[in-house]
Amino acid sequence: MQSRFATAFAVSIFLAGPAFAQENQGGIMTEQQSEQELSEKYIGSSVFSGQGENTESVGKISALIFNENDEIVGAVVDVGGFLGIGAKPVGIDWNLLTMETIADSNVFTTSMAREDFEQAPEFKDKAAQRAEQQRQEMEAEQESTTGTTY
């Protein structure tokens, strides 16, 4: 009985063809839909400042920032460093970025100057914020018990 069911199921999948493969079956997605984008379209993309001859590299997008509605509201751009080491993460509003495709690569441009990125404070994600808060609490506790500041 089970083998007949398995055979009938396999035949139905075969006859359904691509339409079946495109559906989300039990949480499994089998292929990207035409209206969907992958994060790789954005992550790792270069960000440039300025226009034309005044264009200069700012950094690369390392993360996307989403709101509670799962909409992209910002990007984290790694600025400076060498081969990603020592780069400073800077958050930028998504509306300040414009995507262009150049030679089959996605690049982003912004009207912000490179100096704006270099002078901007480092972007802190939730984990970095918690670590900073814990560090401050520990320092405050040590100060209250020893009377010494660090």
Side-chain angles (χ1 to χ4, degrees):
M1 179 72 160
Q2 284 184 327
S3 64
R4 282 191 208 166
F5 176 74
T7 303
F9 182 71
V11 169
S12 67
I13 290 174
F14 178 77
L15 293 176
F20 184 84
Q22 292 177 6
E23 293 180 18
N24 184 331
Q25 296 296 314
I28 303 298
M29 299 175 77
T30 58
E31 62 184 35
Q32 180 182 2
Q33 302 301 300
S34 61
E35 72 279 0
Q36 297 172 335
E37 295 294 342
L38 297 176
S39 63
E40 67 189 25
K41 179 176 181 177
Y42 308 107
I43 306 296
S45 295
S46 296
V47 177
F48 293 92
S49 173
Q51 298 288 324
E53 293 179 11
N54 298 325
T55 301
E56 62 181 321
S57 176
V58 172
K60 293 194 178 287
I61 295 177
S62 61
L64 300 174
I65 305 167
F66 293 85
N67 66 12
E68 64 278 354
N69 297 320
D70 294 328
E71 300 165 326
I72 300 173
V73 295
V76 177
V77 179
D78 286 345
V79 179
F82 180 72
L83 298 175
I85 298 172
K88 175 176 79 169
V90 176
I92 181 174
D93 188 294
W94 189 248
N95 294 321
L96 296 177
L97 294 169
T98 303
M99 187 174 72
E100 300 177 29
T101 303
I102 300 174
D104 293 331
S105 293
N106 295 317
V107 297
F108 287 84
T109 58
T110 182
S111 59
M112 291 178 60
R114 180 176 177 79
E115 292 78 29
D116 294 332
F117 283 88
E118 292 170 348
Q119 295 171 5
E122 184 173 312
F123 177 81
K124 294 181 183 176
D125 62 14
K126 290 177 186 177
Q129 292 173 45
R130 281 191 300 272
E132 176 69 15
Q133 182 179 4
Q134 289 173 347
R135 184 189 63 76
Q136 290 174 353
E137 290 170 357
M138 287 176 55
E139 286 178 358
E141 184 178 316
Q142 286 178 343
E143 184 179 317
S144 68
T145 59
T146 64
T148 308
T149 59
Y150 293 95

